[in-house]
Every structure is written in C-alpha cells, then in structure tokens.
Amino acid sequence: MQLYTIISTLIVLLLTYEQTLAQHQHPGRTCHAQTVLEQQIQQDPQREQTLRDLETLTENYIRENGAGRNNQTRVIPVYIHVLYRTSNENISNAQIQSQIDVMNRDFGGQNADLAQVPSAFQSVTSTNSGIQFTIAGIYRKQTSKSSWGTNDAMKYTSQGGRAPITPNTHLNIWICNIGSGILGYAQFPGGSASTDGVVISPQFFGSSDFGNSFYLSAPFDKGRTAVHEVGHYLNLRHIWGDGGCSYDDYVNDTPLSSTANYGCPSYPTYHCNTSDMFMNYMDYVNDNCMFMFSNGQVARMWACLNTSRAQLGYSGSGNNTGGGNTCSNNEVTLELRLDNYPSETTWRLVNEAGQTVESGGNYSTAGSKVTKTLCLPDGCYDFIINDSYGDGICCSYGNGSYKLTDSDGNTIASGGSFRSTETKSFCFTPPPTCYDIQFNLNFDNYPSETSWKIKNSSGTTLFSGSGYTNSSSDISNIYCLDAGCYTFEIRDSYGDGICCSYGYGSYNIKSNTGATLISGGSFGSIQTKSFCVGGTTKVGPSEFEDLITPKYNIFPNPAYSEIHVESFQVATIPARMIDATGKVVWNGEIAQGDNIVNIQLLPTGIYYINLIHANGQITTKKFLKTLD
C-alpha cells in the first residue's frame, strides 16, 4: 500500500512536471514589437528621447483630461498590403474583412467572451473604447520571398514590399509571412513614417469564427493578434512591462507582473504578489483566452489619438479630427431637396464595416433644401435613403431629390424617384503612390559592352547599369516609378546590339499587371524607347493651361455603359483608361470630336482617362462607373 502511494505520487509529480515543461517549451505568442523598438533605439539614439517625450505628453494628457474615453469616437481607415508567395498567403477579402470585424467587436466591447472577465477586474474593464476600423483599400503583390523577418523590408518597394500610404491619416497593415514563428509586430508612435504600421503573418490575420475555409493556424485563429498589435500601434505596452516586477506598462489599473502568460492559464495566476490580468489583449495567451482592455489602457490609447496620432482617422460623426476644419480625406457634399412630407424621409451613409458614419431625418419643412458636407476616408460606401410612406421623394407629392458630389463637382450618386428605399454605392480609392515595373535583361556573349539607363521626362537618370562581366548573370529587377512617362536607353559599345550576331540577348520592361511596355535587343550602338506608367502625374508648365481650360471633356459622369471623350485638340493623341489600382484597362487614341469608349463590362468604381501629349505630359480626368 505504501509502495502504491509512492508510485501514485511519482506519477502525479511526473505529469505535473511534463505539463509545466510543455507550457514553458511551447513557443506561444511571439510578438516582436518591443524587440523592433529596441532595435530602432540602437540604430537611432534619438528614438529613446522621442519615447520619453511621448510618455511625458501621454501622462500630461491623461492627468488633464481624465483616465477615460470621455465619449470620444474615432474611425481609423486601414490600408491592407498583402504580400504573398503562395496561394494560401494570398488570403481572401473575406478573411481580411473578418479581421476588421473582430477589431471592431473587440475594441467596441461587443465580444461575447467579455462576460468571462473575473469579478476582481470587472470594475476596470472597458466596455467600449470608441475606436473602430474600416478598410480603405486592399493591395496585393506577388513576391518570391518565403519569409520577411522583422527588419521592415516589406514596407519598402525597393526591397520587394509596398510603401505605406498616407501613414499619418491611415493605419497600414502588411500581411506577409514574417517567419521564425513570429505572429506579428507593430511600430510604436513616434517612429519613422516610412515604416509606420503593423505587420502580421497571414495565418494569424482573421478569425475562424467568420468562416471555415480561411488560412488560419490555431490557437491564434480568432483575430486577437491584430487586436494585440494595434494596441502597440496606439502606444500600449505588454501588460507585464517586458521586465520583472519593477517594470510597468504605464497603466494604473493593470496589476504588475514579471512575465508573459501562455496558453490558457487558470484564474488566479500570481506573479509579483498580485493576480495576473492574463485575459488582457496585451498578454501572450491564446486567442480564445484574451478578451479585454482596461479603462486605463483605453485612456492611454486616447492620449495617443489626441497627441502623437492626432491626424489618424476621423470622428464617428464623419468629421476629420486633428485636422481643424479642413478635410484631408475625400470631401462629399449631400444636397437633399425634400418633398411635401419631409418627416417621412430619412437617410444614412454606411461604410464597408457596416457602420453608419452619417445620417439624417426628422425634417419638418416641406420643399426645403438640406446641404451637408461629409469628410470620408478612402473606401466604399452605401448611401441609403428611406421614405416611410413608400412613395419616395419624387414626384407624387413634391419634386424632391438628392445628389452627392465630390470636391471636383462630379456627381457620384443621385435620385429621388423610388418607393420605400433606395441604395446607391460609391468608392474612393486613390491610385498607388508609385507603380512597380519589372526590368528584365538577358545578355549576349559580350555583356561588358552593354549599359542602360532609365530616365524621367526631365532627362534625369533614375536607374542605370554597366560593367557586366558574366553573360549568364541575367538581370530581373523591380523598380517603383511615379506615374508618368519615361525613357529607356540601352547602348552597346561595339555597335552590334545584344542580338543576334554574338548571342541572343534581349530586354523588356513589364508593368505591375505583367503587360509588356517595351522590348527589344536588335539594334546598333544605341536604342531608345519610351513608356508610361500609372495615372495622374505632376503637371508641367506646358500642360497648366490645359487644366485651367480643359481641351477635352468626359461625360456622362457617373457612367454605366459608355463614356464620351470630347476632344477639342486638332491632333489625334494616345489615351488610356486605368482603374484605381493603376491597372490599364483600355488603350486607344482620341481624335478631335466625340469619342465613345465602351465601359459596360468594367466593375463599378473610380477610373481615370489619361491623354498622353506629345511632350510626355499627361492630363487626367476621373469618372465613376456605376451599376445603372
């Protein structure tokens, strides 16, 4: 009996040891935000002083404004950059949207597991941070990289990634395989704008709660990695302060802890003689075991949003915050003419996340005109108008109407004759800040004779190459160019080109869609070819008059089946149409008079018509393709 007791005790001890060992050996959540911050400090000692100044600013703001949300709201538009090598890594729009839904749910305190917060922490649990998110644009780029690491390479086009877009007003998130089991990392406030944002590996971005076909990896498949990293982006530290009991996360209502928690610990778990708030989003537990922010953390995020990130996003009422009275996003004017029964009319503007960002109703003056200016970040919207009687606002009992116009005066939605409800959709998606081209060069048998240059319209050499020695070392480089026209110049010092006397050399430049812009190889001493990329360009002096008094018009706008390009120029000039991502969807020529371009098969959205003038400059007009 005594031997049995000893054996039983040994078995229990062995199982306990194995469980403890497994918990410590499990890699768990691996966020490198703090590590990246320390690397930034090593590279730039001024970064540490910036952090100190920011912390003083944060403390002063909370002291003067109180430790709470104070009824503030902020909607943060998000640019998503998907960098993928495999089809799995090229995650779907639905998976991306599921992540935005999780962020809105968790930051809004609408997650069902919030009810699991232990009673000891319920009094300091935030039930709504007032911070929400909406997709401003999704950009995809195929890459040959199997992993990116944490040196921010994914944020540089020159290194195969994508540069952030307006990082002062938008949150940029890069979805790419970081490698080494790292789930994600974020840049704390105060760092370089060129690297600002959040990076997350694709298998940890999104939630299996919203779909069973997503590319996700348990136990980090509920979307909490992005919630954690965005917390860092808004100046939250790990809840244990990344140190021992003497370290702090600078939040008063989170208890001290000496280490991260992993897996799904049992409550209570003690460190530093206090019970850990391991269910906090800023700890390292599994996704289904983290489900709260504290009120102090929310106050700290709002201090960030009102100081170092004051230009980020816009208020829930649709007005830009931190930017004064000037709209730095897309300004839209709503003109609503009411019918004889104005109390029947209501309307709302809904973003891609399903949030109502503006609304109106309870009108009392028949036939009156309501004008409202909205400031909207990039993204897609539904304008929904309702009539409670079911006869619209035109034309049975009055001549009501509505119209939304952009800052250029273009009508993006209009109507009035409907029954109970009508919905019109529109989008604001800017062209990319630069356009990738792929330059491919295959050498002949004498590569040392070959040199080349890419020049801009001013004749400045942007990229060049020479001094090649190995005929088998072909070139395939990606460069990012501003929208505009360029000259490619290739020389052969012997005077026989690179094809076909002594080998079969060739060159080509392809656009980001894979279309060949120029190609060649058979020439004498020199060959020069021009190509153009992108949409709008900087306007040269000779084109300034064209913009003041346009020499061509496009109509109708919005358009459904065809667009008319009316040219007042005598010469026939090249033209193209691009979509909002910079993809060329039509090439042709525009002659004097009325030119008709069929757009019926194009998806709805914003498009640009470019006329390419003889001097290389481009004039541009945009239009909206609608469903009807």
Side-chain angles (χ1 to χ4, degrees):
M1 191 68 174
Q2 186 177 5
L3 180 60
Y4 174 80
T5 302
I6 293 173
I7 293 174
S8 299
T9 302
L10 287 173
I11 291 174
V12 170
L13 289 173
L14 180 60
L15 289 174
T16 303
Y17 172 76
E18 288 177 345
Q19 290 169 356
T20 303
L21 183 63
Q23 181 177 353
H24 283 84
Q25 287 181 336
H26 191 285
R29 188 176 299 277
T30 49
C31 158
H32 270 235
Q34 182 66 26
T35 303
V36 170
L37 177 61
E38 291 168 358
Q39 291 171 349
Q40 290 178 345
I41 292 173
Q42 290 177 355
Q43 296 167 2
D44 179 14
Q46 183 61 36
R47 181 77 166 103
E48 188 169 15
Q49 184 59 48
T50 301
L51 286 172
R52 292 196 190 100
D53 294 341
L54 178 60
E55 196 55 45
T56 300
L57 192 65
T58 301
E59 292 174 2
N60 291 340
Y61 180 87
I62 293 175
R63 183 172 58 253
E64 294 171 5
N65 295 275
R69 171 189 166 194
N70 296 328
N71 295 319
Q72 299 178 84
T73 59
R74 187 75 64 90
V75 179
I76 299 174
V78 185
Y79 281 121
I80 304 291
H81 308 273
V82 182
L83 306 176
Y84 65 96
R85 184 178 66 90
T86 67
S87 58
N88 278 339
E89 293 173 356
N90 188 21
I91 63 175
S92 66
N93 286 354
Q95 183 170 337
I96 292 171
Q97 184 60 57
S98 76
Q99 180 61 74
I100 300 300
D101 292 341
V102 168
M103 290 160 60
N104 286 330
R105 182 195 66 190
D106 290 356
F107 277 83
Q110 299 300 308
N111 49 306
D113 47 8
L114 191 66
Q116 300 178 32
V117 174
S119 58
F121 300 135
Q122 288 178 1
S123 63
V124 298
T125 298
S126 169
T127 55
N128 185 3
S129 72
I131 302 168
Q132 294 285 275
F133 305 86
T134 184
I135 296 175
I138 300 173
Y139 298 88
R140 300 178 182 275
K141 183 175 182 180
Q142 191 165 14
T143 175
S144 60
K145 288 196 176 185
S146 58
S147 63
W148 289 84
T150 58
N151 66 351
D152 286 335
M154 71 290 295
K155 303 173 184 178
Y156 291 94
T157 306
S158 61
Q159 298 183 44
R162 280 189 55 85
I165 304 173
T166 56
N168 61 321
T169 57
H170 292 68
L171 164 61
N172 284 256
I173 297 180
W174 289 265
I175 303 172
C176 60
N177 184 37
I178 303 172
S180 302
I182 299 171
L183 277 65
Y185 70 94
Q187 179 167 295
F188 286 93
S192 170
S194 64
T195 55
D196 200 16
V198 169
V199 184
I200 298 176
S201 291
Q203 64 270 41
F204 310 118
F205 192 87
S207 174
S208 57
D209 291 339
F210 293 83
N212 55 17
S213 61
F214 296 158
Y215 176 57
L216 291 167
S217 179
F220 308 112
D221 58 341
K222 304 298 182 183
R224 263 61 192 266
T225 296
V227 176
H228 177 102
E229 299 303 341
V230 172
H232 286 315
Y233 172 81
L234 296 176
N235 207 26
L236 295 186
R237 302 299 182 97
H238 288 137
I239 199 164
W240 68 97
D242 292 283
C245 294
S246 60
Y247 287 76
D248 193 12
D249 64 350
Y250 308 111
V251 178
N252 291 332
D253 60 7
T254 57
L256 290 174
S257 183
S258 60
T259 186
N261 288 283
Y262 297 91
C264 283
S266 299
Y267 178 82
T269 295
Y270 291 96
H271 293 98
C272 303
N273 298 317
T274 60
S275 177
D276 284 358
M277 190 186 282
F278 59 77
M279 69 293 306
N280 193 282
Y281 291 123
M282 302 314 294
D283 208 329
Y284 268 7
V285 296
N286 294 348
D287 273 19
N288 62 342
C289 295
M290 56 165 56
F291 35 76
M292 68 163 288
F293 285 120
S294 75
N295 290 326
Q297 288 174 318
V298 170
R300 186 172 174 85
M301 288 190 284
W302 274 106
C304 173
L305 286 171
N306 286 302
T307 56
S308 58
R309 295 200 186 278
Q311 299 293 324
L312 182 67
Y314 62 102
S315 69
S317 62
N319 298 314
N320 181 42
T321 59
N325 295 320
T326 301
C327 177
S328 60
N329 291 304
N330 301 289
E331 189 171 286
V332 175
T333 300
L334 167 65
E335 295 179 1
L336 174 63
R337 177 72 68 179
L338 298 163
D339 65 3
N340 297 341
Y341 296 92
S343 62
E344 299 171 358
T345 302
T346 58
W347 62 270
R348 59 195 180 102
L349 190 66
V350 178
N351 64 18
E352 291 173 297
Q355 303 160 327
T356 298
V357 297
E358 276 288 357
S359 61
N362 298 318
Y363 301 114
S364 57
T365 305
S368 63
K369 181 180 179 181
V370 176
T371 302
K372 193 172 185 64
T373 300
L374 315 173
C375 188
L376 305 176
D378 295 326
C380 291
Y381 298 86
D382 288 334
F383 177 78
I384 305 168
I385 186 167
N386 303 294
D387 182 89
S388 60
Y389 189 76
D391 62 347
I393 58 176
C394 186
C395 300
S396 301
Y397 301 97
N399 294 309
S401 63
Y402 67 86
K403 181 172 69 171
L404 288 94
T405 56
D406 63 16
S407 57
D408 295 327
N410 297 313
T411 300
I412 56 179
S414 63
S417 179
F418 58 94
R419 293 188 176 183
S420 296
T421 185
E422 184 169 69
T423 300
K424 292 291 180 73
S425 302
F426 59 93
C427 298
F428 289 106
T429 307
T433 53
C434 64
Y435 298 85
D436 288 341
I437 63 165
Q438 183 165 351
F439 169 55
N440 302 298
L441 174 60
N442 299 312
F443 294 107
D444 63 2
N445 298 339
Y446 298 93
S448 62
E449 299 171 357
T450 303
S451 63
W452 60 271
K453 296 178 181 179
I454 296 177
K455 300 179 181 179
N456 62 17
S457 57
S458 300
T460 302
T461 298
L462 304 178
F463 307 101
S464 63
S466 62
Y468 303 109
T469 58
N470 189 342
S471 61
S472 64
S473 297
D474 297 333
I475 293 173
S476 182
N477 292 335
I478 293 178
Y479 303 110
C480 196
L481 302 175
D482 291 334
C485 292
Y486 298 84
T487 299
F488 175 75
E489 176 187 291
I490 186 167
R491 294 175 180 268
D492 182 271
S493 60
Y494 189 77
D496 62 346
I498 59 175
C499 185
C500 300
S501 301
Y502 300 98
Y504 293 92
S506 65
Y507 68 85
N508 65 66
I509 292 179
K510 295 185 177 182
S511 71
N512 58 355
T513 64
T516 299
L517 301 175
I518 59 170
S519 62
S522 178
F523 59 94
S525 297
I526 183 172
Q527 188 170 61
T528 302
K529 290 192 177 183
S530 297
F531 64 94
C532 300
V533 296
T536 57
T537 65
K538 300 179 178 66
V539 178
S542 62
E543 295 299 315
F544 188 66
E545 184 180 352
D546 283 353
L547 294 186
I548 297 175
T549 308
K551 295 186 177 180
Y552 76 102
N553 293 321
I554 62 172
F555 61 91
N557 191 4
Y560 163 59
S561 61
E562 61 186 26
I563 196 83
H564 292 251
V565 184
E566 186 179 18
S567 174
F568 302 98
Q569 301 188 129
V570 175
T572 297
I573 59 176
R576 65 170 176 251
M577 184 188 302
I578 65 170
D579 64 17
T581 68
K583 178 182 178 182
V584 177
V585 297
W586 172 82
N587 278 298
E589 292 183 333
I590 298 299
Q592 185 180 29
D594 187 14
N595 301 262
I596 299 175
V597 181
N598 190 308
I599 62 169
Q600 191 164 2
L601 298 180
L602 293 178
T604 59
I606 297 290
Y607 291 85
Y608 301 83
I609 292 283
N610 300 153
L611 264 69
I612 306 167
H613 300 272
N615 62 0
Q617 296 295 335
I618 301 172
T619 54
T620 300
K621 281 189 175 294
K622 69 178 179 181
F623 70 91
L624 178 69
K625 166 67 166 65
T626 60
L627 290 174
D628 54 29

Short mmCIF file of all heavy atoms in Angstrom, two decimals, residues 31-62:
data_model
loop_
_atom_site.label_atom_id
_atom_site.label_comp_id
_atom_site.label_asym_id
_atom_site.label_seq_id
_atom_site.Cartn_x
_atom_site.Cartn_y
_atom_site.Cartn_z
N CYS A 31 5.29 38.12 -30.33
CA CYS A 31 5.16 39.48 -30.85
C CYS A 31 6.51 40.16 -30.73
O CYS A 31 7.15 40.10 -29.68
CB CYS A 31 4.11 40.25 -30.05
SG CYS A 31 4.25 42.04 -30.13
N HIS A 32 6.97 40.80 -31.79
CA HIS A 32 8.29 41.40 -31.78
C HIS A 32 8.25 42.93 -31.74
O HIS A 32 9.22 43.58 -32.13
CB HIS A 32 9.10 40.92 -32.99
CG HIS A 32 9.90 39.69 -32.71
ND1 HIS A 32 11.25 39.59 -32.91
CD2 HIS A 32 9.51 38.48 -32.22
CE1 HIS A 32 11.67 38.38 -32.56
NE2 HIS A 32 10.62 37.69 -32.14
N ALA A 33 7.13 43.50 -31.30
CA ALA A 33 7.02 44.96 -31.27
C ALA A 33 8.09 45.57 -30.35
O ALA A 33 8.75 46.55 -30.71
CB ALA A 33 5.63 45.38 -30.81
N GLN A 34 8.26 45.00 -29.15
CA GLN A 34 9.24 45.54 -28.23
C GLN A 34 10.66 45.32 -28.75
O GLN A 34 11.52 46.21 -28.64
CB GLN A 34 9.08 44.88 -26.85
CG GLN A 34 10.03 45.40 -25.78
CD GLN A 34 9.77 46.85 -25.42
OE1 GLN A 34 8.65 47.35 -25.56
NE2 GLN A 34 10.80 47.55 -24.93
N THR A 35 10.91 44.16 -29.36
CA THR A 35 12.23 43.89 -29.91
C THR A 35 12.57 44.87 -31.02
O THR A 35 13.69 45.40 -31.09
CB THR A 35 12.30 42.45 -30.45
OG1 THR A 35 11.97 41.54 -29.39
CG2 THR A 35 13.67 42.12 -31.00
N VAL A 36 11.60 45.12 -31.91
CA VAL A 36 11.82 46.07 -33.00
C VAL A 36 12.05 47.47 -32.46
O VAL A 36 12.90 48.22 -32.96
CB VAL A 36 10.62 46.05 -33.97
CG1 VAL A 36 10.70 47.20 -34.97
CG2 VAL A 36 10.56 44.72 -34.71
N LEU A 37 11.33 47.83 -31.40
CA LEU A 37 11.54 49.14 -30.78
C LEU A 37 12.96 49.27 -30.24
O LEU A 37 13.62 50.31 -30.43
CB LEU A 37 10.52 49.35 -29.66
CG LEU A 37 10.64 50.66 -28.86
CD1 LEU A 37 10.44 51.87 -29.76
CD2 LEU A 37 9.66 50.67 -27.71
N GLU A 38 13.43 48.24 -29.58
CA GLU A 38 14.80 48.28 -29.04
C GLU A 38 15.83 48.36 -30.17
O GLU A 38 16.86 49.05 -30.04
CB GLU A 38 15.03 47.04 -28.17
CG GLU A 38 14.22 47.05 -26.88
CD GLU A 38 14.21 45.72 -26.16
OE1 GLU A 38 14.83 44.76 -26.70
OE2 GLU A 38 13.59 45.61 -25.09
N GLN A 39 15.55 47.70 -31.29
CA GLN A 39 16.45 47.79 -32.44
C GLN A 39 16.46 49.21 -33.02
O GLN A 39 17.51 49.74 -33.39
CB GLN A 39 16.03 46.79 -33.52
CG GLN A 39 16.26 45.34 -33.13
CD GLN A 39 15.62 44.37 -34.12
OE1 GLN A 39 14.83 44.76 -34.99
NE2 GLN A 39 15.95 43.08 -33.98
N GLN A 40 15.29 49.84 -33.05
CA GLN A 40 15.22 51.22 -33.54
C GLN A 40 16.02 52.16 -32.64
O GLN A 40 16.68 53.09 -33.12
CB GLN A 40 13.75 51.68 -33.60
CG GLN A 40 12.94 51.01 -34.69
CD GLN A 40 11.49 51.45 -34.69
OE1 GLN A 40 11.00 52.04 -33.73
NE2 GLN A 40 10.79 51.17 -35.79
N ILE A 41 15.96 51.92 -31.34
CA ILE A 41 16.72 52.76 -30.40
C ILE A 41 18.22 52.58 -30.61
O ILE A 41 18.98 53.55 -30.56
CB ILE A 41 16.31 52.42 -28.95
CG1 ILE A 41 14.86 52.87 -28.69
CG2 ILE A 41 17.26 53.08 -27.95
CD1 ILE A 41 14.32 52.42 -27.35
N GLN A 42 18.65 51.34 -30.86
CA GLN A 42 20.07 51.10 -31.12
C GLN A 42 20.53 51.80 -32.39
O GLN A 42 21.63 52.35 -32.46
CB GLN A 42 20.33 49.60 -31.24
CG GLN A 42 20.19 48.84 -29.92
CD GLN A 42 20.38 47.34 -30.09
OE1 GLN A 42 20.53 46.85 -31.21
NE2 GLN A 42 20.39 46.62 -28.98
N GLN A 43 19.67 51.80 -33.42
CA GLN A 43 20.03 52.43 -34.68
C GLN A 43 19.93 53.95 -34.62
O GLN A 43 20.66 54.66 -35.31
CB GLN A 43 19.12 51.90 -35.79
CG GLN A 43 19.30 50.40 -36.05
CD GLN A 43 18.19 49.82 -36.91
OE1 GLN A 43 17.29 50.54 -37.35
NE2 GLN A 43 18.24 48.52 -37.14
N ASP A 44 19.03 54.46 -33.79
CA ASP A 44 18.83 55.90 -33.69
C ASP A 44 18.61 56.25 -32.22
O ASP A 44 17.48 56.16 -31.72
CB ASP A 44 17.62 56.32 -34.52
CG ASP A 44 17.33 57.82 -34.43
OD1 ASP A 44 18.22 58.56 -33.94
OD2 ASP A 44 16.23 58.24 -34.84
N PRO A 45 19.65 56.68 -31.51
CA PRO A 45 19.52 57.01 -30.09
C PRO A 45 18.46 58.08 -29.82
O PRO A 45 17.90 58.14 -28.72
CB PRO A 45 20.92 57.51 -29.72
CG PRO A 45 21.83 56.86 -30.73
CD PRO A 45 21.03 56.79 -31.99
N GLN A 46 18.16 58.93 -30.81
CA GLN A 46 17.15 59.97 -30.63
C GLN A 46 15.76 59.37 -30.43
O GLN A 46 14.88 60.00 -29.83
CB GLN A 46 17.15 60.91 -31.84
CG GLN A 46 16.18 62.09 -31.73
CD GLN A 46 16.49 63.00 -30.55
OE1 GLN A 46 17.65 63.21 -30.22
NE2 GLN A 46 15.45 63.51 -29.91
N ARG A 47 15.59 58.13 -30.89
CA ARG A 47 14.29 57.45 -30.73
C ARG A 47 13.94 57.30 -29.27
O ARG A 47 12.78 57.42 -28.88
CB ARG A 47 14.35 56.09 -31.43
CG ARG A 47 13.04 55.28 -31.35
CD ARG A 47 12.04 55.81 -32.34
NE ARG A 47 10.93 54.89 -32.54
CZ ARG A 47 9.71 55.03 -32.01
NH1 ARG A 47 9.44 56.07 -31.24
NH2 ARG A 47 8.76 54.15 -32.27
N GLU A 48 14.93 57.04 -28.43
CA GLU A 48 14.69 56.88 -27.00
C GLU A 48 14.21 58.19 -26.38
O GLU A 48 13.29 58.20 -25.56
CB GLU A 48 15.95 56.38 -26.29
CG GLU A 48 15.71 56.01 -24.83
CD GLU A 48 16.90 55.28 -24.23
OE1 GLU A 48 18.00 55.30 -24.83
OE2 GLU A 48 16.72 54.66 -23.17
N GLN A 49 14.82 59.31 -26.78
CA GLN A 49 14.38 60.60 -26.26
C GLN A 49 12.97 60.92 -26.75
O GLN A 49 12.14 61.47 -26.00
CB GLN A 49 15.34 61.71 -26.72
CG GLN A 49 15.00 63.09 -26.15
CD GLN A 49 15.00 63.11 -24.63
OE1 GLN A 49 15.94 62.62 -24.00
NE2 GLN A 49 13.95 63.64 -24.04
N THR A 50 12.66 60.53 -27.99
CA THR A 50 11.30 60.73 -28.52
C THR A 50 10.29 59.97 -27.67
O THR A 50 9.20 60.48 -27.37
CB THR A 50 11.23 60.25 -29.98
OG1 THR A 50 12.17 60.98 -30.77
CG2 THR A 50 9.83 60.46 -30.55
N LEU A 51 10.65 58.75 -27.25
CA LEU A 51 9.76 57.96 -26.41
C LEU A 51 9.55 58.62 -25.06
O LEU A 51 8.43 58.64 -24.53
CB LEU A 51 10.33 56.55 -26.22
CG LEU A 51 10.23 55.61 -27.42
CD1 LEU A 51 11.00 54.34 -27.15
CD2 LEU A 51 8.77 55.28 -27.73
N ARG A 52 10.62 59.16 -24.48
CA ARG A 52 10.48 59.85 -23.19
C ARG A 52 9.56 61.05 -23.33
O ARG A 52 8.68 61.28 -22.48
CB ARG A 52 11.86 60.30 -22.68
CG ARG A 52 12.79 59.17 -22.28
CD ARG A 52 13.94 59.71 -21.44
NE ARG A 52 14.98 58.71 -21.23
CZ ARG A 52 16.11 58.65 -21.93
NH1 ARG A 52 16.35 59.55 -22.88
NH2 ARG A 52 17.00 57.72 -21.67
N ASP A 53 9.74 61.82 -24.39
CA ASP A 53 8.90 63.00 -24.61
C ASP A 53 7.45 62.58 -24.80
O ASP A 53 6.52 63.24 -24.30
CB ASP A 53 9.39 63.78 -25.82
CG ASP A 53 10.76 64.39 -25.61
OD1 ASP A 53 11.19 64.51 -24.45
OD2 ASP A 53 11.42 64.72 -26.63
N LEU A 54 7.26 61.47 -25.53
CA LEU A 54 5.91 60.99 -25.77
C LEU A 54 5.26 60.52 -24.48
O LEU A 54 4.06 60.76 -24.26
CB LEU A 54 5.95 59.85 -26.79
CG LEU A 54 4.61 59.18 -27.13
CD1 LEU A 54 3.63 60.19 -27.70
CD2 LEU A 54 4.83 58.05 -28.13
N GLU A 55 6.03 59.88 -23.62
CA GLU A 55 5.48 59.41 -22.35
C GLU A 55 5.07 60.59 -21.46
O GLU A 55 4.02 60.55 -20.81
CB GLU A 55 6.50 58.53 -21.64
CG GLU A 55 5.91 57.69 -20.52
CD GLU A 55 4.74 56.83 -21.01
OE1 GLU A 55 4.86 56.21 -22.07
OE2 GLU A 55 3.71 56.81 -20.32
N THR A 56 5.88 61.64 -21.47
CA THR A 56 5.52 62.84 -20.71
C THR A 56 4.24 63.45 -21.26
O THR A 56 3.34 63.86 -20.50
CB THR A 56 6.66 63.88 -20.78
OG1 THR A 56 7.84 63.30 -20.22
CG2 THR A 56 6.30 65.14 -20.01
N LEU A 57 4.13 63.50 -22.59
CA LEU A 57 2.94 64.03 -23.24
C LEU A 57 1.72 63.20 -22.88
O LEU A 57 0.63 63.74 -22.61
CB LEU A 57 3.16 64.05 -24.75
CG LEU A 57 2.16 64.82 -25.62
CD1 LEU A 57 2.22 66.31 -25.32
CD2 LEU A 57 2.48 64.58 -27.10
N THR A 58 1.88 61.87 -22.86
CA THR A 58 0.78 60.97 -22.52
C THR A 58 0.32 61.17 -21.09
O THR A 58 -0.89 61.28 -20.81
CB THR A 58 1.21 59.51 -22.73
OG1 THR A 58 1.60 59.32 -24.10
CG2 THR A 58 0.09 58.54 -22.39
N GLU A 59 1.27 61.23 -20.16
CA GLU A 59 0.93 61.43 -18.75
C GLU A 59 0.21 62.75 -18.54
O GLU A 59 -0.78 62.82 -17.79
CB GLU A 59 2.19 61.36 -17.90
CG GLU A 59 2.83 59.98 -17.84
CD GLU A 59 4.16 60.00 -17.10
OE1 GLU A 59 4.55 61.08 -16.62
OE2 GLU A 59 4.79 58.93 -17.02
N ASN A 60 0.69 63.80 -19.19
CA ASN A 60 0.06 65.12 -19.04
C ASN A 60 -1.36 65.12 -19.59
O ASN A 60 -2.27 65.70 -19.00
CB ASN A 60 0.90 66.19 -19.73
CG ASN A 60 2.22 66.46 -19.02
OD1 ASN A 60 2.37 66.12 -17.84
ND2 ASN A 60 3.17 67.02 -19.73
N TYR A 61 -1.54 64.45 -20.74
CA TYR A 61 -2.88 64.42 -21.35
C TYR A 61 -3.86 63.70 -20.42
O TYR A 61 -4.99 64.19 -20.19
CB TYR A 61 -2.83 63.73 -22.70
CG TYR A 61 -4.20 63.68 -23.35
CD1 TYR A 61 -4.66 64.73 -24.13
CD2 TYR A 61 -5.04 62.58 -23.14
CE1 TYR A 61 -5.93 64.70 -24.70
CE2 TYR A 61 -6.32 62.54 -23.70
CZ TYR A 61 -6.75 63.61 -24.48
OH TYR A 61 -8.02 63.58 -25.02
N ILE A 62 -3.48 62.54 -19.90
CA ILE A 62 -4.37 61.77 -19.03
C ILE A 62 -4.65 62.55 -17.74
O ILE A 62 -5.79 62.57 -17.25
CB ILE A 62 -3.77 60.39 -18.73
CG1 ILE A 62 -3.73 59.55 -20.02
CG2 ILE A 62 -4.57 59.66 -17.66
CD1 ILE A 62 -3.05 58.20 -19.86
#
